[in-house]
Amino acid sequence: MILTVTLNPAIDKTYRTGQLIPGHVNRMESMENIPGGKGINVGKILNECSCPVTATGFLGGYTGRWIERRLGEMGIGCDFVSIGADTRCSMNVVADNGFVTEILEPGPWICPEERLVFFGKYRELVQSCDLVVLSGSAAPGLPPDIYADLVGIAKDAGKRAILDTSGETLSRGIQAGPWLVKPNRKELEYLAGHPCRTRDEVLEAARKMLENGIEWAAVSAGEKGMYLVGEREALYAAAPKVDAVNTVGCGDCACAAFALSALRGEDAGRMLRRAVAMSAASATVFGSGTVPLKLAEELMERVEIVDLFMGSL
């Protein structure tokens, strides 16, 4: 079983329109409500892949109850902490001209008592899982070192942790040494404190993260592909060309792919190939946090892995 943690869930309201014009009335062509938040997206993808999942985090109010009910209907196990404030909503506007605009609410304030309840629940859930995925922003009221604490608890229980977040929670989280961390290039530059324009600069910054006890650093380069850097390996895979519809949630697909590969004992090349293929397949559909699995399997055969020391594999 994989445990996913979402500290700031949301109802993702995904809209479709011809184009979004600031300062004008914009009438949407369609709208879809989806249980969201990065960890929840990872859980939905793993569930599609027939992998047992338990989702935890904080949920509150009508929006929180709606998310929990929908996840239950999908067959995803839920063990969230109930909070007094309402879970947030997020808006994702997909325009026919290719622009995707996200409007993200900050989320509810988590009080100290709710945080303590969550830590007690998390310690129990970690004991029965095989791997933990920690994804997304932390809700207001949570300390910046919360992911570092959660990684430490998982490691003390002998469980691997995947971390996908940003900003101060990322910089503190990596100090706890998760098994895999997945920054994009902008987040990598934040950690390095300087631009990473060349491949060598990306590799140097990624290897610097490994000094914290991290086994793998997966650096997303968006539509250009992804790097996977370990102590003895440095691999790169270009993203296969697809007709992209909505790129929101592609990074969550990569996290889900790495989690699947970890459970299956796959090697680094297979891990990277799966992550890039599932991310690309996800971009072809309207909703976030979903993957057309048949297309993902087809794309895996087209992904070329390059060993940055040895050449193509």
Side-chain angles (χ1 to χ4, degrees), residues 147-195:
Y147 277 130
D149 292 340
L150 297 179
V151 169
I153 292 169
K155 290 178 69 174
D156 289 344
K159 308 302 170 69
R160 289 175 289 185
I162 294 175
L163 178 62
D164 181 20
T165 185
S166 60
E168 188 69 11
T169 53
L170 173 61
S171 62
R172 297 201 186 192
I174 64 173
Q175 294 174 18
W179 174 70
L180 182 146
V181 63
K182 194 200 71 61
N184 58 32
R185 182 169 291 195
K186 183 179 293 185
E187 292 158 354
L188 184 71
E189 291 175 341
Y190 169 82
L191 294 170
H194 58 77

Side-chain angles (χ1 to χ4, degrees), residues 119-305:
F119 269 96
K121 184 181 294 291
Y122 176 76
R123 286 188 174 91
E124 293 178 2
L125 291 171
V126 161
Q127 298 300 322
S128 58
C129 77
D130 297 292
L131 183 144
V132 182
V133 181
L134 307 160
S135 300
S137 63
L142 297 175
D145 58 357
I146 187 165
Y147 277 130
D149 292 340
L150 297 179
V151 169
I153 292 169
K155 290 178 69 174
D156 289 344
K159 308 302 170 69
R160 289 175 289 185
I162 294 175
L163 178 62
D164 181 20
T165 185
S166 60
E168 188 69 11
T169 53
L170 173 61
S171 62
R172 297 201 186 192
I174 64 173
Q175 294 174 18
W179 174 70
L180 182 146
V181 63
K182 194 200 71 61
N184 58 32
R185 182 169 291 195
K186 183 179 293 185
E187 292 158 354
L188 184 71
E189 291 175 341
Y190 169 82
L191 294 170
H194 58 77
C196 297
R197 298 187 180 93
T198 68
R199 180 172 290 182
D200 287 343
E201 288 173 335
V202 170
L203 294 180
E204 180 182 358
R207 287 192 177 279
K208 185 70 174 176
M209 286 193 293
L210 302 183
E211 296 175 2
N212 294 285
I214 296 168
E215 190 166 334
W216 295 106
V219 181
S220 171
E223 63 182 12
K224 295 182 179 179
M226 183 177 289
Y227 298 86
L228 183 60
V229 181
E231 185 178 351
R232 295 182 177 85
E233 293 181 87
L235 308 179
Y236 169 76
K241 298 296 183 182
V242 296
D243 293 326
V245 174
N246 182 10
T247 58
V248 175
C250 289
D252 304 328
C253 292
C255 278
F258 284 125
L260 279 174
S261 292
L263 291 190
R264 296 173 179 176
E266 295 177 343
D267 62 24
R270 186 74 174 174
M271 282 202 303
L272 182 57
R273 183 173 281 113
R274 183 180 302 282
V276 170
M278 286 179 63
S279 296
S282 175
T284 66
V285 294
F286 179 59
S288 58
T290 184
V291 179
L293 294 178
K294 183 177 180 181
L295 175 59
E297 291 296 325
E298 294 172 357
L299 292 176
M300 282 187 69
E301 303 304 318
R302 291 165 43 190
V303 175
E304 180 181 352
I305 302 296

